[in-house]
Amino acid sequence: MKSKKMSAWLLALCLGVPFLAACGGGGGGGGSAQPTVNGSVSATDYEVVANGVVDTLTATNAASSALAGSYSVGGASQPSNDAIVSLVRQGVARLRAGERAQPLAIASETVACSSGGSLAVTVSYKDPNTVSAGDYVDFQAQSCVEGGVRLDGGMRLTVTSVTQQSFAAQLSARNFSVTADGVTTVIDGVATVAASTSASKDTISLVYEGLSATRGAERIEWWHSVTYEYDSTTGSTSFSFGGFVQHAGRYFALRQNKPFSWSGGVLQGELDVVDLRGNFVRIVGSADRFIYQYYEAGSSTPKATSSNGRSFAGIFY
């Protein structure tokens, strides 16, 4: 059930659009300014580090249902487990909606959010018959409340390259804020987007390039990547992280030991958070919350284990 829910948005994004492989689960943000791993983790603080990493990697997920609810394409909302992925899905669908009639046009509409506020959507395109480099979809939320989540600010998806078998774009956030459970996260910066398809697998990848996220008094930079894969032969969806993650002002490397996926109602998968000495905390999926395991460099046996990790109910569903 959960696997089918997770794959729905991916199918919606890829329907009718043959994508060329241009993505993967490897590195984080591009460019020469990538961070250096300088954080450390030990048996005394591995739970704190793991919780901080999980919070960072899922920071915008609370907005996904709000975005799907406030602006659905074709009258059918598809769930997403990442607010930015939700914007990408909706943006691509909007660009390919076939409602354009003249070249060099800009079309706008504003939709009401179910619990107050609005979401304005602007589409700019060069050719009414196809998607071209430079086309964009702009989202501007104004006190948009859906499912108890409030959205404010803007995001723009700009196509950078596209053919019948390729798609790449840049997503830019402009003071985009997500408020859930009394906590506000403000996002500014850019991410690159790529998608691919094959006879049996569809993939979409996001790479954050130093995008800043401010939550309360804490400001961090996102240098991680996230890749989602849907396998049509098995009907399963998996997701993997890569790159770097910041916690308490220090950087750690992300190493996806086993991709996350659902099996029999249990989240399978393992993500390692590696420090400058090679020590790492392994974040392991389970039935309802993450399990944390602390390893010293070179060891295959955990030195400490905690079964009281963050709950992922509603995060990866």
Side-chain angles (χ1 to χ4, degrees):
M1 174 64 77
K2 296 167 185 173
S3 177
K4 291 179 180 178
K5 287 183 179 180
M6 288 179 63
S7 66
W9 62 263
L10 185 58
L11 290 174
L13 175 64
C14 294
L15 269 177
V17 190
F19 290 120
L20 179 70
C23 49
S32 59
Q34 289 192 9
T36 299
V37 175
N38 57 5
S40 63
V41 62
S42 69
T44 59
D45 66 358
Y46 75 98
E47 292 176 274
V48 174
V49 172
N51 280 335
V53 170
V54 170
D55 289 345
T56 294
L57 296 181
T58 60
T60 62
N61 291 352
S64 60
S65 60
L67 288 165
S70 60
Y71 189 71
S72 59
V73 177
S77 299
Q78 300 288 355
S80 163
N81 63 329
D82 189 293
I84 295 179
V85 171
S86 182
L87 279 176
V88 171
R89 175 184 60 77
Q90 295 174 49
V92 172
R94 188 62 178 166
L95 279 170
R96 301 190 68 89
E99 300 173 359
R100 300 170 293 180
Q102 56 185 343
L104 299 175
I106 297 178
S108 299
E109 67 174 313
T110 300
V111 295
C113 303
S114 65
S115 299
S118 62
L119 184 68
V121 184
T122 300
V123 181
S124 175
Y125 57 89
K126 298 176 182 178
D127 187 332
N129 299 310
T130 187
V131 179
S132 308
D135 290 359
Y136 68 82
V137 180
D138 191 272
F139 299 88
Q140 184 69 42
Q142 295 183 340
S143 302
C144 174
V145 181
E146 292 282 346
V149 178
R150 172 172 167 162
L151 309 177
D152 288 281
M155 281 194 179
R156 175 174 292 190
L157 177 72
T158 304
V159 177
T160 55
S161 66
V162 61
T163 70
Q164 284 300 309
Q165 294 188 346
S166 68
F167 179 87
Q170 182 184 77
L171 195 70
S172 59
R174 308 181 306 276
N175 199 35
F176 185 75
S177 69
V178 180
T179 302
D181 298 324
V183 179
T184 298
T185 301
V186 181
I187 305 166
D188 282 285
V190 298
T192 57
V193 184
S196 68
T197 192
S198 68
S200 61
K201 185 177 294 184
D202 295 316
T203 305
I204 184 169
S205 179
L206 295 171
V207 180
Y208 300 103
E209 302 179 341
L211 180 148
S212 68
T214 304
R215 183 186 302 167
E218 180 184 20
R219 179 186 180 278
I220 61 175
E221 291 184 350
W222 291 359
W223 289 95
H224 63 277
S225 65
V226 56
T227 299
Y228 305 87
E229 293 186 343
Y230 170 72
D231 189 329
S232 61
T233 61
T234 63
S236 63
T237 302
S238 64
F239 53 101
S240 302
F241 297 97
F244 308 90
V245 63
Q246 187 181 24
H247 171 70
R250 299 287 181 174
Y251 287 98
F252 298 82
L254 294 174
R255 180 177 63 205
Q256 192 76 49
N257 193 40
K258 296 178 182 178
F260 288 114
S261 63
W262 289 104
S263 178
V266 176
L267 183 66
Q268 309 281 352
E270 299 174 353
L271 174 67
D272 295 343
V273 182
V274 187
D275 75 2
L276 77 171
R277 297 167 297 177
N279 299 335
F280 62 94
V281 54
R282 177 163 291 170
I283 300 172
V284 183
S286 68
D288 61 349
R289 63 180 57 248
F290 290 109
I291 297 170
Y292 303 148
Q293 300 172 338
Y294 169 70
Y295 291 78
E296 292 181 347
S299 174
S300 60
T301 303
K303 300 297 182 181
T305 299
S306 171
S307 299
N308 195 34
R310 288 280 194 258
S311 170
F312 44 73
I315 296 177
F316 294 128
Y317 282 43

mmCIF file of all heavy atoms in Angstrom, residues 1-2 261-268 287:
data_model
loop_
_atom_site.group_PDB
_atom_site.id
_atom_site.type_symbol
_atom_site.label_atom_id
_atom_site.label_comp_id
_atom_site.label_asym_id
_atom_site.label_seq_id
_atom_site.Cartn_x
_atom_site.Cartn_y
_atom_site.Cartn_z
ATOM 1 N N MET A 1 0.829 -1.200 0.000
ATOM 2 C CA MET A 1 0.000 0.000 0.000
ATOM 3 C C MET A 1 0.868 1.256 0.000
ATOM 4 O O MET A 1 0.713 2.137 -0.813
ATOM 5 C CB MET A 1 -0.929 0.005 1.217
ATOM 6 C CG MET A 1 -1.730 1.311 1.381
ATOM 7 S SD MET A 1 -2.870 1.619 0.026
ATOM 8 C CE MET A 1 -4.160 0.478 0.455
ATOM 9 N N LYS A 2 1.830 1.345 0.916
ATOM 10 C CA LYS A 2 2.658 2.536 0.999
ATOM 11 C C LYS A 2 3.511 2.680 -0.255
ATOM 12 O O LYS A 2 3.718 3.779 -0.750
ATOM 13 C CB LYS A 2 3.528 2.477 2.242
ATOM 14 C CG LYS A 2 2.692 2.499 3.527
ATOM 15 C CD LYS A 2 3.530 2.122 4.730
ATOM 16 C CE LYS A 2 2.674 2.016 5.980
ATOM 17 N NZ LYS A 2 3.411 1.491 7.124
ATOM 18 N N SER A 261 12.930 1.299 1.207
ATOM 19 C CA SER A 261 11.765 0.852 0.457
ATOM 20 C C SER A 261 10.811 0.167 1.426
ATOM 21 O O SER A 261 11.210 -0.263 2.517
ATOM 22 C CB SER A 261 12.161 -0.119 -0.662
ATOM 23 O OG SER A 261 12.750 -1.297 -0.118
ATOM 24 N N TRP A 262 9.548 0.054 1.014
ATOM 25 C CA TRP A 262 8.546 -0.590 1.851
ATOM 26 C C TRP A 262 8.412 -2.066 1.493
ATOM 27 O O TRP A 262 8.404 -2.433 0.323
ATOM 28 C CB TRP A 262 7.185 0.084 1.683
ATOM 29 C CG TRP A 262 7.115 1.439 2.294
ATOM 30 C CD1 TRP A 262 7.156 2.636 1.633
ATOM 31 C CD2 TRP A 262 7.000 1.754 3.684
ATOM 32 N NE1 TRP A 262 7.077 3.674 2.532
ATOM 33 C CE2 TRP A 262 6.976 3.160 3.795
ATOM 34 C CE3 TRP A 262 6.911 0.973 4.839
ATOM 35 C CZ2 TRP A 262 6.862 3.804 5.017
ATOM 36 C CZ3 TRP A 262 6.806 1.622 6.061
ATOM 37 C CH2 TRP A 262 6.782 3.014 6.144
ATOM 38 N N SER A 263 8.298 -2.913 2.521
ATOM 39 C CA SER A 263 8.073 -4.341 2.314
ATOM 40 C C SER A 263 7.239 -4.872 3.467
ATOM 41 O O SER A 263 7.677 -4.867 4.622
ATOM 42 C CB SER A 263 9.415 -5.089 2.246
ATOM 43 O OG SER A 263 9.202 -6.480 2.097
ATOM 44 N N GLY A 264 6.023 -5.310 3.168
ATOM 45 C CA GLY A 264 5.150 -5.851 4.200
ATOM 46 C C GLY A 264 4.838 -4.868 5.308
ATOM 47 O O GLY A 264 4.693 -5.256 6.472
ATOM 48 N N GLY A 265 4.707 -3.580 4.964
ATOM 49 C CA GLY A 265 4.391 -2.568 5.966
ATOM 50 C C GLY A 265 5.583 -2.126 6.795
ATOM 51 O O GLY A 265 5.420 -1.365 7.752
ATOM 52 N N VAL A 266 6.777 -2.572 6.435
ATOM 53 C CA VAL A 266 7.993 -2.212 7.169
ATOM 54 C C VAL A 266 8.918 -1.432 6.239
ATOM 55 O O VAL A 266 9.116 -1.820 5.081
ATOM 56 C CB VAL A 266 8.722 -3.461 7.700
ATOM 57 C CG1 VAL A 266 10.035 -3.084 8.384
ATOM 58 C CG2 VAL A 266 7.819 -4.217 8.666
ATOM 59 N N LEU A 267 9.488 -0.336 6.748
ATOM 60 C CA LEU A 267 10.454 0.432 5.972
ATOM 61 C C LEU A 267 11.813 -0.249 6.058
ATOM 62 O O LEU A 267 12.421 -0.321 7.125
ATOM 63 C CB LEU A 267 10.547 1.864 6.486
ATOM 64 C CG LEU A 267 11.492 2.783 5.700
ATOM 65 C CD1 LEU A 267 10.956 3.014 4.287
ATOM 66 C CD2 LEU A 267 11.683 4.107 6.421
ATOM 67 N N GLN A 268 12.286 -0.773 4.931
ATOM 68 C CA GLN A 268 13.598 -1.394 4.860
ATOM 69 C C GLN A 268 14.616 -0.347 4.407
ATOM 70 O O GLN A 268 14.278 0.594 3.706
ATOM 71 C CB GLN A 268 13.582 -2.549 3.859
ATOM 72 C CG GLN A 268 12.468 -3.558 4.068
ATOM 73 C CD GLN A 268 12.762 -4.531 5.197
ATOM 74 O OE1 GLN A 268 13.859 -4.552 5.743
ATOM 75 N NE2 GLN A 268 11.776 -5.348 5.556
ATOM 76 N N ALA A 287 9.318 -0.837 11.573
ATOM 77 C CA ALA A 287 7.870 -0.778 11.352
ATOM 78 C C ALA A 287 7.298 0.621 11.524
ATOM 79 O O ALA A 287 6.380 1.017 10.797
ATOM 80 C CB ALA A 287 7.161 -1.752 12.290
#
